[in-house]
């Protein structure tokens, strides 16, 4: 079977930066270490006043098409995953295509366009759609453009305000891909949950503490489901495990649970038993409470072992490097984590061809999905082409007053006119409203 997967990736960050320990924490009267150590975040990316989900998505897609020497005829699908859409009918992908048609001679009239919604997991679902479309033999040799783009802003004063972010990831899905091949096997954990939702509103209603528990529960189900089709997952099977990263502290919690799961009934559990005992099994306890207390104690001890720390340092921490500087990008987040991991491999001269990644996607509401990816021999070329470090360094750093102004400007319910903080160059920008309330865009040379 010919490999199908991600041929190329591009990341586009919002052009503004909010320093969390330096600017946000003092205004909130909080210890900066809550951000750097607790949540694991240094900064959030924000969109400038001329940026939105369309400009960021189109800019990422444009960079990708230019780099790969693609023309519109090479693309048979444009799928946009977002939970920040501003229209209940016209999909963001039509706006993105309209932007790209301003800078290419051809058009996307024969490409299927759509918009995917399921909180943050929609980005991965769009990858699946593209994969299935190619596997079904419907692509006519063309590739799919998948764009995950969000302005992940929370209402002022919401606990989630600390974890905001804005940016887009564009991915080209093709046969015989350069970057990674997607596994046919997938595992799901899905349930009707009320933890994070946006009932026709721009900023989410969130039960933050509960959302953390739901993330962990659905992710565990997805891992078990994945194992039921792909076989047991072991510590040494995967070089990196990029997970959906609303904030790195969330992944720290998920990683510990995942590690406990994958070492159960293995030599690693036996080796660790002399130091911290064996994992508690429910059948050995009279009540759920006793079992849970024992489990908590075991997890606390496991976290402190050298073996776990080394695994975390090698397999999880490298997936969080970009997230630490940009915050939550919702649909793009797990795809940023993958890029972060491969960037780490490149920078540490690690040979990755043929090696595996375990991808954990998640969306509130709620659904988790686990699949694996095999790194392809063009990965170095693709990751070398990323310019995310330059983009991050060039962001304008906002003062607290700047932040208050720009936050309101991105609230769809408010009509706020804010001067731009940065000067756009070689990118699409928002250019005002049309006669039917549509958004207009132009390319700035
Ligand atoms: P909070 O109450 O502001 O923070 O909200 P906290 O008091 O729980 O502190 C956070 C961590 O910092 C804790 O670590 C503290 O101990 C630690 P933990 O105990 O949990 O390991 N801390 C410190 N550490 C060192 N030095 C200090 C210090 N102070 C505190 N001085 C919350 C946290 C996550 C609830 C909030 O940020 C929130 O509501 N976020 C939005 C929801 C969210 O991101 N949920 C994650 C799972 S759901 C998800 O991923 C889906 C999502 O992406 C949406 C989608 O799918 O579309 C959100």
């Amino acid at each position: 079977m010919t490999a199908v997967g991600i041929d190329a990736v591009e990341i586009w960050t919002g052009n503004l930066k909010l320093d969390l320990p330096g600017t946000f924490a003092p205004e909130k009267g909080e210890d900066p270490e809550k951000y750097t150590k607790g949540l694991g975040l240094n900064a959030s990316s924000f969109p400038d006043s001329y940026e939105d989900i369309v400009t960021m998505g189109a800019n990422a897609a444009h960079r990708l098409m230019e780099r790969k020497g693609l023309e519109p005829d090479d693309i048979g699908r444009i799928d946009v995953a977002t939970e920040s859409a501003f229209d209940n009918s016209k999909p963001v992908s039509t706006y993105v295509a309209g932007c790209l048609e301003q800078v290419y001679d051809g058009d996307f009239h024969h490409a299927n366009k759509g918009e995917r919604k399921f909180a943050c997991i929609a980005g991965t679902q769009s990858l699946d759609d593209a994969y299935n479309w190619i596997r079904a033999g419907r692509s006519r040799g063309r590739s799919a453009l998948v764009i995950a783009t969000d302005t992940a802003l929370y209402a002022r004063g919401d606990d989630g305000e600390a974890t905001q972010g804005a940016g887009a990831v564009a991915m080209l899905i093709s046969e015989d891909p350069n970057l990674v091949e997607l596994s046919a096997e997938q595992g799901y954990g899905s349930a009707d949950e009320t933890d994070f939702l946006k009932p026709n509103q721009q900023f989410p209603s969130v039960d933050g503490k509960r959302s953390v528990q739901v993330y962990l529960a659905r992710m565990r189900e997805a891992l078990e489901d994945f194992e039921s089709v792909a076989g047991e997952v072991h510590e040494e099977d995967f070089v990196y495990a990029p997970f959906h990263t609303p904030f790195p502290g969330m992944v720290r919690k998920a990683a510990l649970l995942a590690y406990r799961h994958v070492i159960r009934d293995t030599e690693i559990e036996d080796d660790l038993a002399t130091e911290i005992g064996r994992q508690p099994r429910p059948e050995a306890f009279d009540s759920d409470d006793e079992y849970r207390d024992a489990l908590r104690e075991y997890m606390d001890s496991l976290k402190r072992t050298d073996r776990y720390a080394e695994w975390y340092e090698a397999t999880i921490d490298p997936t969080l490097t970009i997230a630490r500087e940009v915050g939550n990008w919702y649909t793009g987040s797990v795809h940023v984590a993958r890029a972060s991991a491969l960037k780490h491999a490149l920078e540490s001269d690690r040979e990755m061809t043929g090696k595996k990644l375990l991808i954990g996607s998640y969306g509130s509401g709620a659904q988790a999905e686990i699949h694996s990816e095999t790194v392809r021999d063009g990965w170095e070329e693709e990751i070398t082409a990323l310019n995310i470090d330059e983009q991050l360094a060039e962001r304008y750093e906002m003062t607290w007053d700047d932040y208050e102004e720009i936050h309101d400007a991105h609230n769809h319910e408010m009509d706020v006119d804010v001067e731009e903080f940065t000067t756009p160059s070689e990118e699409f920008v928002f250019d005002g409203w049309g006669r039917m309330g549509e958004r207009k865009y132009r390319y700035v040379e």
Side-chain angles (χ1 to χ4, degrees), residues 179-252:
L179 190 63
V180 291
E181 174 183 1
L182 305 186
S183 65
E185 295 82 11
Q186 296 172 293
Y188 290 101
S190 188
D192 177 9
E193 296 278 6
T194 308
D195 55 335
F196 171 112
L197 53 156
K198 294 170 118 185
N200 286 327
Q201 63 197 41
Q202 170 64 354
F203 299 143
S205 300
V206 195
D207 183 343
K209 300 281 187 241
R210 189 170 147 61
S211 75
V212 169
Q213 296 314 317
V214 176
Y215 177 118
L216 296 174
R218 303 286 82 81
M219 208 58 107
R220 199 201 59 227
E221 280 175 2
L223 183 57
E224 285 166 359
D225 193 42
F226 176 71
E227 288 185 311
S228 76
V229 284
E232 273 186 15
V233 171
H234 295 121
E235 188 212 37
E236 65 282 4
D237 297 343
F238 298 94
V239 179
Y240 297 109
F243 274 45
H244 168 57
T245 312
F247 54 93
M250 180 71 244
V251 176
R252 205 169 52 222

Side-chain angles (χ1 to χ4, degrees), residues 30-40 83 118-121 150 154 158-163 195-196 198 204 206-216 244-247 249-250 252-253 303 328-331 333 362-365 367:
E30 286 176 327
D31 183 348
E33 293 203 337
K34 170 181 165 183
Y35 296 86
T36 50
K37 297 210 167 123
L39 297 169
E83 48 185 305
F118 195 150
C120 303
I121 202 173
D150 272 299
Y154 290 77
D158 190 288
D159 286 347
E161 198 183 352
T163 65
D195 55 335
F196 171 112
K198 294 170 118 185
V206 195
D207 183 343
K209 300 281 187 241
R210 189 170 147 61
S211 75
V212 169
Q213 296 314 317
V214 176
Y215 177 118
L216 296 174
H244 168 57
T245 312
F247 54 93
M250 180 71 244
R252 205 169 52 222
K253 291 181 205 291
K303 191 163 55 182
N328 193 355
W329 284 11
Y330 288 164
T331 53
S333 160
Y362 177 75
S364 283
Q367 182 160 302

Side-chain angles (χ1 to χ4, degrees), residues 77-81 93 112-115 126 129-130 144-148:
R77 261 182 101 94
I78 304 180
D79 289 311
V80 171
S93 48
N112 186 14
K113 305 182 190 89
E115 189 173 303
S126 296
D129 293 341
L145 194 51
V146 166
I147 299 164

